[in-house]
Amino acid sequence: MNTTIFNPWLRVVALLLVVADFACGQAEIARRPPWVGSRVVGSPEPPRPYVTERVFPALVFTNPVELVAVPGSNRLVAVEVAGKIYSFDNRPHDETLPRDLFGDISLRDKNFGRLYGLAFHPRFAENRTVFISYVLKENQQPDGSRVSRFQCTASEPPRLIPESEEMVLTWVGGGHNGANLQFGPEGYLYISTGDAGAAFPPDGRGTGQDITDLEASVLRIDVDHRDPGRAYRIPTDNPFLSIPGARGEIWAYGFRNPWKMSFDRSDGSLWVGDVGWEKWEMIYCVERGSNFGWSVVEGPQPVHQERQSGPTPISPPAVAHSHIESRSITGGFVSQSDRLPDLRGTYVYGDYVTGKIWGLRHDGDKVTWRDELVDTQIQVVSFGLDHSGDVLIVDYPTGTLHRLAPNSRRGQNVDFPRKLSETGIFSDTAEHVPAAGVVPYAINAEPWADGTTAERFIALPNNSTLDTYKRSDGMIGFFAGDWHFPDGGLLVKTVAIELEPGKVVSRKRLETQLLQYEIDHWNAYNYIWNDEQTDATLADDSGVDRALSIRDAAAPDGLRRQTWHHASRTECLLCHTSRVGTVLGFRPNQVDRQVAFNGTQANQLTVLEGLGVFGEGIPNKRDPLPNPNDESEPLESRARAYLHVNCGHCHSRGGGGASFFDIQYHITLPKTALIGSRPTQGTFGIVDAQLIASGDPYRSMVYYRMSKLGHGHMPQFGTNLIDTVGTKLIGNWIASMKLPDSDTAAKKLLSLHEGQVADLTIALSQPKPSVDELSKYLSNPSSALMLAESLAPQTGLQFQASILAAAYSHSDPSIRDLFERFIPEEQRLQRLGGSIKPADILALKGDAVRGRALFLETAGVQCKNCHKIGEQGQGVGPELTLIGKKLDKAKILENILEPSKTIEPQFVSHLVETTGGEVHTGLLVRRSDTETVLKKADGKEVSIAAAEIERSVPQQKSLMPDLLLRDLAPQQAADLLEFLAGLK
């Protein structure tokens, strides 16, 4: 664990003009001087090419959700979520423009909930027909989402005739309704439907891949004709009419909450924005029969891999935005306006939470261009397309309408400080002395960061103060009781490492990280210190590694190499997500602690209040996190605090962690979903694996992932080393948990593991431990974990080199990766690793002869173990004899890097657990009432009697391991691709 080895207040106490009255036992603290020197203003990035401008300045609507052009006229209609619809002339700059009430749907049903969609019939000028979608108040009603047909008056402006309503179609009402309506180029009505569920659990109704209901789909119906018993006809070319039980209305499926769709007027392509779950927001180009994977996947991320996918292959999104830059996607329109010629033919879409608006171009097969057009303060709930093809923007909370305009301010922001000394944060950068008004602070629970330490400061411009949020808004990223920063407020953290552990004089500053609050969001910047320790330089928005030499008596020549990763701005925001409030350290439960201040102990919150940091006093939230290293605190509290600061920013509701648990400290343990829950992102071959298995660390995925390096190591970001102290803390906590008496199977496994640990302890106590005896612990990940944790304190034993040689050369990476920590960094395989950039590999010139040798002859390269080329290799996976004729290099590489992205049905893996605790994974050969037969990755078949099967599920996961290339050098990967691409 990190420990702060200095008192952060000592450097600045004189500057803060502290006057102590110790006779009264209190410290009287003068208000801090104003911080007036900040130059951290704006952004170092060049301005975006567009800005937004308000149009229709006379019009304000109440929570509008849709904007639609009226066919055959020059009018638009704005749809309010509460049920009212208004029409108005398309005169964007008219400052006295009136609006007319088109209709009020809320009067149609006493249980009316929300109005979402409206589409005029293409021949509206002739038939005066409009279609409207709305939902009822109560969720989960079978007919809670509705599409109805209405007639309108022939007068101008037109008005809805409420009593003309004819219900066309209904589906289950829920939190995700979709309910957008668009007419396609052939005249059919397309309807979007969501999964009808809440945000959590993901796809709780299991409807995403189910085509026997209407949810999670885009529907396509003919509203000009009728089938018997219906108010519409199902077109005969809809894709699933021949599948028994399927709903013929479905055109495409696998959506979570498709929020707005549109057709490109030029080519008829259908575009849909799908609001994601934990990590991604998706834009889809939808074709007949498309399956977009929810909830097997969320865009590129696996979710429920154990669920059966639908009848068609999963298609990737055209674009997937991570939750770093997007939180709730809003589908848009393809611009056809001559007003912005550079955007003509560009699909314009945006995000409700971040206000960002992007554009993309598509050639019918792939995205050829994409860029951020503007970053706005607009909550983009919808877009509209006027009669000229100009894209309009709808702001939900203000009820105003906007459009894009060219940005006259081009060029770089040259004033943004490129050196730390230019920021105004420090009066003496080399000595790390903060400027007047910049206040230090310390926190209770430090996250693990590869043995580094941190100094922290808060800087508030001029005399500004912190206010307190009175309510929570998790979408935007603030929570009641947390502090609201003023515009320009900074949080500063300087990270340093002792090049000779234990000696303060060997401390070397590595980087100074800034979080900058700008109007309503946070920006992250990183300044990298020079070797002379005189200044630091602003890093580009790209990560970079730095090699350090650390004194270590156990290492060869007394030095070991340690790589420190300087994170990019994007990487910083992977942890500092808005869904957890962005700020992780400067929070009431972290800064509520004792500090040495002016020769006595004082509460840090009280000191900060005396300095005038808080505008409204200390918030009433005094539940401090314990220090995980403080053994006087209860074991469970320390362990929960450790998980909170190291894992909680991702593994929380909306934080982005793919596993379905929330380990925020304030949540009661039963509500975390940690104990006894099955992992959803793989078990690494551990029998009866659980996130945390009470009493048994060796079945606990949390403990296992903390103990390994390589693929699956946790924490995923910000660390390259194992925290042995923190891992031991979590292991001890898990071991202290009482196992329920009723769980006999778990008790049996626990007894087995306890016996193995006891035997291992005896073996290690011998003067000359037997390598053969220890090697048996390499048979499975659980026993290998026992061996790895036992080796940690045994670095001086002679046998270690021999057992490590066997362990680190093991063919199973789930075993091998547990021992990588014991291998000097410079002796580890120099490989592509987990951050593989396909473009870098594709840019290399490969050698097919060397690639053939890699595939067929090189030990450790696993291709031939599963794939056949001609008569060579094993036929577990797809045959590759003519793979180069079917796929180009880029697609071959994609299939290698993401083997589970697209799986042919015959190669879907199955997982079978037996009543005896065995786990088998393989391709399903056959299944009968008496047995299930699987073909395993080694090509051998295994038969499991039906009576012995406790659980059997398809995995939607390829038998081919992820990151199969990670152990290859880049040139080797290029050679392998050259060989495979030539197989024609």
Side-chain angles (χ1 to χ4, degrees):
M1 286 290 295
N2 285 5
T3 54
T4 303
I5 57 175
F6 46 84
N7 178 3
W9 291 95
L10 293 180
R11 291 180 183 268
V12 294
V13 67
L15 298 175
L16 298 177
L17 307 177
V18 179
V19 179
D21 182 2
F22 295 112
C24 298
Q26 296 180 345
E28 182 181 331
I29 306 169
R31 185 181 179 90
R32 76 190 193 280
W35 179 48
V36 296
S38 176
R39 291 189 57 207
V40 186
V41 179
S43 166
E45 305 300 333
R48 291 297 163 187
Y50 294 91
V51 294
T52 57
E53 61 180 16
R54 185 175 173 185
V55 288
F56 307 103
L59 302 180
V60 176
F61 303 97
T62 303
N63 300 138
V65 291
E66 189 85 300
L67 186 66
V68 183
V70 181
S73 77
N74 191 41
R75 295 184 75 82
L76 301 167
V77 296
V79 175
E80 295 182 345
V81 73
K84 290 184 178 180
I85 307 168
Y86 293 93
S87 73
F88 55 94
D89 281 332
N90 185 13
R91 300 199 301 268
H93 301 295
D94 190 336
E95 296 186 0
T96 61
L97 185 68
R99 66 180 187 179
D100 299 285
L101 183 65
F102 177 80
D104 187 350
I105 300 300
S106 67
L107 305 177
R108 291 298 304 154
D109 193 308
K110 64 180 181 180
N111 292 317
F112 170 84
R114 293 188 166 202
L115 173 57
Y116 280 133
L118 179 149
F120 290 98
H121 194 284
R123 299 195 308 277
F124 175 76
E126 304 168 22
N127 60 29
R128 313 303 279 180
T129 302
V130 65
F131 294 83
I132 294 174
S133 60
Y134 61 94
V135 300
L136 303 183
K137 291 179 182 177
E138 298 297 326
N139 287 340
Q140 303 304 315
Q141 292 190 53
D143 62 347
S145 296
R146 299 178 172 181
V147 174
S148 290
R149 181 192 332 247
F150 290 85
Q151 294 303 119
C152 298
T153 63
S155 61
E156 289 296 337
R159 284 180 170 80
L160 198 73
I161 304 174
E163 60 272 18
S164 68
E165 180 180 10
E166 178 189 20
M167 205 167 295
V168 176
L169 188 68
T170 66
W171 66 94
V172 175
H176 300 150
N177 300 285
N180 191 221
L181 307 177
Q182 296 289 337
F183 275 93
E186 78 289 67
Y188 294 147
L189 180 63
Y190 290 72
I191 305 165
S192 68
T193 69
D195 66 12
F200 196 89
D203 194 12
R205 300 179 63 253
T207 187
Q209 295 293 297
D210 185 358
I211 63 169
T212 66
D213 59 38
L214 295 179
E215 287 75 64
S217 301
V218 168
L219 315 178
R220 178 179 183 253
I221 60 175
D222 177 358
V223 294
D224 292 328
H225 303 86
R226 298 173 185 248
D227 290 329
R230 295 193 181 104
Y232 59 90
R233 176 182 293 175
I234 298 176
T236 57
D237 60 343
N238 274 13
F240 302 115
L241 291 176
S242 62
I243 297 180
R247 291 299 299 257
E249 296 93 335
I250 296 175
W251 181 252
Y253 64 101
F255 301 94
R256 181 176 180 267
N257 187 20
W259 187 250
K260 306 304 179 184
M261 59 183 179
S262 67
F263 286 92
D264 183 348
R265 292 179 180 178
S266 65
D267 63 11
S269 57
L270 174 58
W271 291 91
V272 176
D274 193 17
V275 179
W277 175 54
E278 289 278 17
K279 203 166 185 178
W280 297 95
E281 303 292 318
M282 285 71 65
I283 294 292
Y284 298 122
C285 186
V286 178
E287 297 181 346
R288 179 182 184 271
S290 297
N291 172 14
F292 293 105
W294 180 251
S295 60
V296 173
V297 296
E298 174 202 17
Q301 171 179 265
V303 178
H304 277 302
Q305 290 186 300
E306 78 283 359
R307 288 185 175 174
Q308 181 68 48
S309 65
T312 51
I314 294 175
S315 298
V319 170
H321 288 276
S322 81
H323 277 187
I324 297 169
E325 60 181 0
S326 178
R327 284 290 177 173
S328 181
I329 207 75
T330 298
F333 288 87
V334 175
S335 175
Q336 302 292 345
S337 173
D338 292 332
R339 186 180 63 85
L340 298 174
D342 290 345
L343 280 185
R344 188 171 179 84
T346 298
Y347 177 67
V348 177
Y349 63 99
D351 187 74
Y352 175 80
V353 174
T354 68
K356 292 179 183 290
I357 297 175
W358 297 272
L360 69 81
R361 298 191 187 100
H362 198 269
D363 64 3
D365 180 51
K366 62 183 181 301
V367 172
T368 58
W369 172 87
R370 177 172 67 90
D371 197 11
E372 181 182 318
L373 304 179
V374 61
D375 187 354
T376 77
Q377 304 305 314
I378 296 172
Q379 290 185 236
V380 187
V381 70
S382 183
F383 291 88
L385 198 69
D386 72 8
H387 305 82
S388 69
D390 203 359
V391 177
L392 303 175
I393 307 161
V394 182
D395 188 4
Y396 183 75
T398 68
T400 54
L401 306 179
H402 306 258
R403 69 182 182 185
L404 296 173
N407 187 357
S408 60
R409 181 177 170 268
R410 304 276 180 168
Q412 192 82 8
N413 181 357
V414 295
D415 294 329
F416 196 89
R418 305 289 160 166
K419 299 285 187 182
L420 186 60
S421 57
E422 299 169 353
T423 61
I425 297 170
F426 296 98
S427 61
D428 187 330
T429 304
E431 294 299 320
H432 211 240
V433 177
V438 175
V439 179
Y441 69 95
I443 63 175
N444 286 315
E446 291 274 356
W448 168 250
D450 289 354
T452 59
T453 59
E455 292 184 76
R456 294 176 167 86
F457 305 88
I458 179 172
L460 306 177
N462 301 310
N463 289 311
S464 58
T465 58
L466 300 179
D467 295 325
T468 305
Y469 287 112
K470 302 300 188 297
R471 63 182 182 87
S472 299
D473 189 332
M475 291 292 289
I476 297 176
F478 57 79
F479 302 93
D482 285 348
W483 287 304
H484 179 201
F485 280 69
D487 184 27
L490 292 179
L491 288 170
V492 183
K493 182 170 76 172
T494 294
V495 177
I497 191 168
E498 292 176 355
L499 299 180
E500 188 168 352
K503 291 191 175 182
V504 178
V505 295
S506 72
R507 283 181 61 237
K508 180 177 183 177
R509 299 186 199 104
L510 300 176
E511 62 188 33
T512 294
Q513 306 165 0
L514 305 187
L515 276 178
Q516 171 211 25
Y517 192 71
E518 185 179 17
I519 303 176
D520 63 351
H521 66 282
W522 290 91
N523 302 316
Y525 302 108
N526 200 358
Y527 287 82
I528 300 175
W529 281 84
N530 57 28
D531 289 336
E532 296 76 23
Q533 300 286 277
T534 57
D535 208 344
T537 301
L538 177 67
D540 294 331
D541 190 14
S542 58
V544 62
D545 290 336
R546 183 181 198 169
L548 304 170
S549 292
I550 309 296
R551 288 283 179 188
D552 187 342
D557 301 323
L559 291 173
R560 64 174 170 85
R561 189 176 79 184
Q562 177 177 331
T563 297
W564 175 261
H565 181 70
H566 294 288
S568 68
R569 298 167 202 164
T570 298
E571 288 175 299
C572 292
L573 295 175
L574 289 171
C575 292
H576 293 279
T577 64
S578 61
R579 281 296 180 94
V580 291
T582 304
V583 175
L584 304 178
F586 196 86
R587 306 186 85 162
N589 62 352
Q590 277 279 40
V591 297
D592 183 4
R593 55 168 288 167
Q594 294 297 107
V595 293
F597 188 77
N598 200 37
T600 188
Q601 290 290 309
N603 181 272
Q604 185 172 230
L605 280 174
T606 303
V607 174
L608 292 169
E609 182 181 34
L611 294 170
V613 171
F614 307 126
E616 299 180 353
I618 300 172
N620 185 25
K621 189 176 181 181
R622 304 289 291 272
D623 183 19
L625 282 177
N627 180 349
N629 283 338
D630 184 355
E631 296 186 2
S632 68
E633 295 280 358
L635 177 61
E636 180 176 313
S637 297
R638 294 166 55 210
R640 290 291 309 277
Y642 181 91
L643 293 176
H644 175 91
V645 298
N646 286 286
C647 316
H649 41 272
C650 283
H651 291 292
S652 61
R653 290 290 300 274
S659 295
F660 316 139
F661 56 93
D662 190 334
I663 54 180
Q664 297 288 301
Y665 183 79
H666 64 274
I667 295 177
T668 62
L669 189 57
K671 290 185 177 181
T672 63
L674 269 175
I675 312 300
S677 298
R678 289 184 56 79
T680 60
Q681 302 302 309
T683 65
F684 292 85
I686 292 177
V687 174
D688 193 24
Q690 297 176 2
L691 295 178
I692 287 182
S694 294
D696 195 347
Y698 310 108
R699 288 193 297 116
S700 300
M701 292 308 302
V702 169
Y703 183 64
Y704 172 82
R705 284 177 175 265
M706 289 176 62
S707 301
K708 75 186 295 292
L709 291 176
H711 178 60
H713 165 67
M714 291 291 170
Q716 186 174 6
F717 308 116
T719 68
N720 294 312
L721 301 179
I722 303 294
D723 178 8
T724 55
V725 175
T727 302
K728 184 178 180 181
L729 169 65
I730 299 303
N732 289 341
W733 174 51
I734 295 171
S736 73
M737 297 178 183
K738 183 175 174 56
L739 187 64
D741 292 334
S742 58
D743 198 343
T744 55
K747 278 185 172 293
K748 182 179 178 181
L749 282 171
L750 177 58
S751 178
L752 170 66
H753 291 160
E754 288 175 340
Q756 289 177 309
V757 171
D759 292 344
L760 179 60
T761 301
I762 294 172
L764 290 173
S765 68
Q766 303 303 311
K768 293 184 178 181
S770 168
V771 173
D772 291 340
E773 179 71 13
L774 296 177
S775 293
K776 70 181 183 182
Y777 286 87
L778 301 177
S779 61
N780 64 77
S782 291
S783 59
L785 179 54
M786 300 172 199
L787 179 59
E789 69 175 14
S790 298
L791 289 182
Q794 308 290 341
T795 54
L797 297 182
Q798 294 181 356
F799 73 88
Q800 182 159 330
S802 299
I803 191 62
L804 282 180
Y808 195 54
S809 62
H810 202 283
S811 60
D812 185 349
S814 63
I815 292 173
R816 180 191 66 214
D817 290 349
L818 288 165
F819 297 89
E820 183 164 316
R821 63 172 124 162
F822 303 112
I823 306 298
E825 188 177 283
E826 58 271 21
Q827 295 179 20
R828 297 174 190 171
L829 294 171
Q830 300 304 303
R831 54 200 182 191
L832 286 165
S835 301
I836 299 174
K837 297 181 179 178
D840 291 349
I841 298 175
L842 294 170
L844 295 173
K845 180 175 177 57
D847 185 305
V849 175
R850 292 197 303 257
R852 183 182 186 280
L854 272 171
F855 189 102
L856 297 172
E857 302 169 16
T858 303
V861 178
Q862 305 171 39
C863 306
K864 62 181 178 295
N865 296 339
C866 294
H867 300 281
K868 293 188 72 172
I869 293 177
E871 298 301 318
Q872 296 179 284
Q874 297 279 350
V876 179
E879 184 173 332
L880 303 181
T881 305
L882 299 175
I883 187 66
K885 188 174 183 179
K886 181 180 179 182
L887 303 176
D888 60 17
K889 282 186 185 179
K891 197 65 178 178
I892 294 172
L893 181 58
E894 179 185 281
N895 287 348
I896 295 174
L897 296 178
E898 301 179 75
S900 299
K901 186 174 182 179
T902 305
I903 310 175
E904 297 178 28
Q906 66 269 34
F907 296 111
V908 171
S909 66
H910 280 66
L911 180 144
V912 175
E913 289 192 16
T914 71
T915 54
E918 295 179 330
V919 179
H920 302 281
T921 302
L923 303 181
L924 182 64
V925 177
R926 60 183 178 276
R927 177 188 288 155
S928 67
D929 294 338
T930 58
E931 68 171 355
T932 291
V933 178
L934 300 179
K935 179 184 282 190
K936 304 186 79 171
D938 59 5
K940 297 178 180 178
E941 292 186 359
V942 58
S943 174
I944 306 107
E948 298 177 0
I949 297 175
E950 181 175 312
R951 183 184 291 104
S952 176
V953 291
Q955 289 288 85
Q956 282 304 307
K957 182 172 177 61
S958 173
L959 285 180
M960 183 173 168
D962 292 327
L963 294 173
L964 195 61
L965 298 182
R966 64 174 297 148
D967 291 337
L968 296 184
Q971 186 58 57
Q972 288 179 306
D975 294 342
L976 184 61
L977 279 181
E978 190 72 26
F979 168 62
L980 294 173
L983 295 175
K984 300 180 180 181

